[in-house]
Amino acid sequence: MKNVIIIGSGMGGLIAGNLLAKKGHKVTIFEAHSMPGGYTAGFFRKGYYFESGTLGFEASASVFKAMKDIGVFEKSDFVKLRMRFVSEDLNGTPENYDDYKKMIYAGFPAEKEKLDTFFSELDKTAGMMGNVDEPMPFLYSGLKMFKSMLPYILSGPKQMKLARQYGNMTSSEFAAKYFEKDSKLFKVFSGFGYPDMPSMYVGTGLAGMFTDYWTVQGGMQSWADLLAENFRKLGGDLELNSHVDKIITKNGAAVGVLCKNTVYDADYVISAGDYKKTFLKLLDGQSLIPQALQDKIESAAVSEGFYTVYLGLNMSNEELGKYMKVPYVFTYNYKPGYDIYNSEDAEFFSKTSAALYSPSMVNPKHAPEGKSSLMLQTTVPYHWMDNWGGGDKEVYGQLKEKAMDAMIDSASRLIPGLKAYIEYKDAATPLTYEKFTYNTDGASSAWSWNPKKKFYKNSMSVNIETPVKNLYIGSCWAMQIGGVPGALAAAYQCAKKIK
């Protein structure tokens, strides 16, 4: 039996904790906040429930396998999410990738020739990520891992050719090959997913999002709570309100952590949180990290943060549903001047497209009877407006309110008279997310998705090992593209390493 300390109770930390506790190890998870979950958390305010940031997940086969391995699948209440797209040209809820293409063609009939050429290329990448009905190979070991990797090995030459062609091309560069910059179709396709994500992920993402995007009926927090409860039943110790101040090392190896002026010994330490802060803030000996790696970590780009508006509405789910149709709606904004890299654009939030998500349409218990909850969410430029006011609390509040008003105005195009129904409102900025998740700049999915700003050479690799012996990365930061799948892969690899 090994003594293992995990820093952070996000999805990676909780899954790693469960897997290791199930193997009989003594596991303690230290969580800085009063509840587990990290980005996959949620909260109630005045009777309304909201997701903190993460609305759902993909790679369901991997998630379901993990829940079965841990023994909580039967207690989980996962539900599939459908996405509706709305703009002045589009209005549809595709069931699959082909439906999506039909919607685009119907919305832009004059662009058929360009769309034919565009989709002929995009289709080539639509199946690059393999069979979405099968778990990731990283969740297996031994012969089972080899068998699960076999389809990837057999398709290797084709995958490598596509990766060479599209792997270093951004979604904006790909869209610009077929559509004029700032045209509506350029904005539709360059704006899919994360800004300037690899073009090869656009086809893959579109192919999977209509058939493999899920949420939790009880809310993301209920999922984190379920994993936390099971972890404790397995003998694990979850310490909430317990911020780790230092990772203690000795002779080049991690040997414990410092928390609340107390040293806790460990055979292994798993950092299930921000990679940058692990090595630049928590590690007690910077000499263990080569200077070149320190510089690389310091300068590495992270994924964009979210700005999320939380609204409690004096409107029934039925009434809200007349406008939303489904709980998750993506609305396009074609206003000129949108630039995700312009941190000085004071009017950014009046130009950005946004997702609308209603937790209470997924589960009526997420709002008081006869009322509904609604979230408005978009990605924002790094350090918008001098990082939201340059530390001035009054300016911060003004900027937060201005952004909120702009987002509500935008959502009112879909939900007429929205402002009159608002009983509760608040918002989270990237600074909010950094405060509660400790992710650098409030990063919503670990490292940058831009292929020209990669931290890891291989975007699909799982990188749990560090220059410090017995210190592993057990969060989404172990993979370039992060997210719930990245957290899962890292958790399994950590559990495999610790025998």
Side-chain angles (χ1 to χ4, degrees):
M1 180 179 75
K2 303 297 183 183
N3 184 7
V4 184
I5 287 176
I6 298 174
I7 305 169
S9 67
M11 200 49 56
L14 287 170
I15 291 174
N18 272 275
L19 293 173
L20 288 164
K22 194 173 182 182
K23 288 170 70 173
H25 295 300
K26 182 179 183 297
V27 188
T28 304
I29 300 177
F30 288 91
E31 169 56 51
H33 296 295
S34 58
M35 59 187 185
Y39 248 106
T40 50
F43 58 91
F44 274 95
R45 292 290 184 274
K46 297 188 181 298
Y48 298 97
Y49 174 84
F50 305 101
E51 304 297 1
S52 293
T54 301
L55 305 179
F57 62 88
E58 59 287 321
S60 61
S62 296
V63 171
F64 297 166
K65 171 179 164 44
M67 297 306 103
K68 290 172 184 175
D69 289 345
I70 290 169
V72 297
F73 181 72
E74 298 302 324
K75 298 177 182 177
S76 307
D77 55 350
F78 301 123
V79 291
K80 192 174 287 188
L81 268 184
R82 297 173 66 204
M83 180 180 284
R84 179 183 172 206
F85 295 87
V86 177
S87 74
E88 58 194 53
D89 307 285
L90 304 173
N91 190 348
T93 309
E95 294 284 348
N96 50 47
Y97 179 52
D98 286 338
D99 278 356
Y100 174 79
K101 291 199 291 186
K102 290 175 184 175
M103 180 188 72
I104 296 293
Y105 275 107
F108 299 92
E111 304 289 346
K112 182 181 183 306
E113 190 173 329
K114 288 181 179 179
L115 285 169
D116 285 344
T117 308
F118 172 78
F119 279 120
S120 69
E121 286 298 301
L122 190 67
D123 291 351
K124 295 176 184 178
T125 66
M128 275 194 71
M129 303 303 286
N131 187 354
V132 296
D133 296 325
E134 294 294 330
M136 296 180 290
F138 306 117
L139 275 59
Y140 294 103
S141 57
L143 184 59
K144 285 186 177 179
M145 184 174 184
F146 175 76
K147 286 183 176 179
S148 74
M149 288 185 70
L150 199 56
Y152 296 90
I153 295 171
L154 294 175
S155 64
K158 178 185 176 183
Q159 302 282 8
M160 288 178 65
K161 181 180 178 182
L162 289 170
R164 283 195 298 269
Q165 187 174 358
Y166 300 108
N168 204 42
M169 182 187 297
T170 69
S171 54
S172 294
E173 290 171 334
F174 185 71
K177 288 176 61 179
Y178 306 97
F179 311 109
E180 290 182 14
K181 269 200 167 185
D182 294 327
S183 67
K184 291 180 179 180
L185 281 172
F186 174 83
K187 290 181 177 180
V188 166
F189 292 113
S190 65
F192 175 78
Y194 277 90
D196 282 321
M197 63 192 282
S199 61
M200 64 182 183
Y201 291 164
V202 176
T204 300
L206 285 170
M209 70 182 297
F210 305 116
T211 56
D212 192 37
Y213 191 64
W214 299 71
T215 193
V216 184
Q217 190 167 32
M220 286 289 184
Q221 186 62 55
S222 71
W223 187 17
D225 290 341
L226 174 64
L227 288 168
E229 179 187 9
N230 194 72
F231 172 67
R232 286 181 169 127
K233 285 181 179 178
L234 291 170
D237 182 14
L238 174 57
E239 295 289 336
L240 299 174
N241 299 304
S242 299
H243 181 269
V244 168
D245 299 302
K246 285 294 176 185
I247 296 171
I248 309 298
T249 61
K250 185 177 180 180
N251 298 325
V255 295
V257 302
L258 175 67
C259 177
K260 297 180 180 178
N261 297 316
T262 302
V263 173
Y264 296 85
D265 297 328
D267 298 307
Y268 294 90
V269 175
I270 297 173
S271 177
D274 182 283
Y275 193 106
K276 284 177 172 262
K277 289 181 178 173
T278 297
F279 294 105
L280 302 179
K281 302 286 186 184
L282 292 184
L283 198 63
D284 69 346
Q286 291 298 305
S287 62
L288 296 174
I289 308 300
Q291 188 60 50
L293 179 56
Q294 286 190 45
D295 294 342
K296 182 181 178 183
I297 295 170
E298 183 75 51
S299 62
V302 301
S303 57
E304 285 75 12
F306 290 143
Y307 179 76
T308 307
V309 178
Y310 308 107
L311 301 176
L313 303 179
N314 186 19
M315 174 190 289
S316 69
N317 288 306
E318 292 73 23
E319 187 68 19
L320 182 61
K322 291 178 184 178
Y323 304 111
M324 296 275 287
K325 310 298 184 187
V326 294
Y328 192 12
V329 182
F330 188 83
T331 59
Y332 289 103
N333 190 341
Y334 296 140
K335 279 188 178 180
Y338 169 84
D339 183 356
I340 189 64
Y341 301 112
N342 185 357
S343 298
E344 298 178 2
D345 181 3
E347 304 306 318
F348 172 83
F349 288 94
S350 68
K351 303 170 186 175
T352 185
S353 299
L356 284 70
Y357 178 70
S358 172
S360 63
M361 284 181 65
V362 175
N363 186 344
K365 293 180 181 178
H366 287 166
E369 188 174 352
K371 300 182 181 183
S372 56
S373 56
L374 181 65
M375 299 170 60
L376 317 175
Q377 190 173 79
T378 190
T379 51
V380 298
Y382 291 121
H383 297 173
W384 181 69
M385 299 300 290
D386 190 24
N387 206 18
W388 295 81
D392 186 316
K393 287 186 178 181
E394 184 177 348
V395 176
Y396 174 80
Q398 292 168 354
L399 290 171
K400 183 177 172 182
E401 192 74 24
K402 178 177 181 176
M404 197 173 347
D405 288 343
M407 294 278 283
I408 292 170
D409 284 343
S410 180
S412 297
R413 295 200 297 270
L414 179 69
I415 307 169
L418 175 60
K419 283 185 178 180
Y421 293 98
I422 297 172
E423 285 192 337
Y424 169 84
K425 69 175 181 177
D426 200 356
T429 71
L431 297 184
T432 312
Y433 286 113
E434 182 163 23
K435 177 182 177 181
F436 285 100
T437 68
Y438 291 95
N439 278 2
T440 300
D441 290 332
S444 54
S445 184
W447 306 105
S448 172
W449 281 58
N450 189 321
K452 303 181 193 307
K453 299 177 181 179
K454 288 192 294 188
F455 182 73
Y456 299 119
K457 288 183 179 180
N458 183 348
S459 295
M460 297 308 297
S461 61
V462 183
N463 308 273
I464 66 165
E465 297 199 48
T466 75
V468 181
K469 186 179 178 183
N470 298 340
L471 172 62
Y472 299 128
I473 300 298
S475 67
C476 63
W477 292 83
M479 289 190 78
Q480 185 67 41
I481 59 174
V484 171
L488 277 177
Y492 268 80
Q493 292 301 300
C494 286
K496 191 187 300 186
K497 276 280 183 184
I498 300 172
K499 298 177 181 179

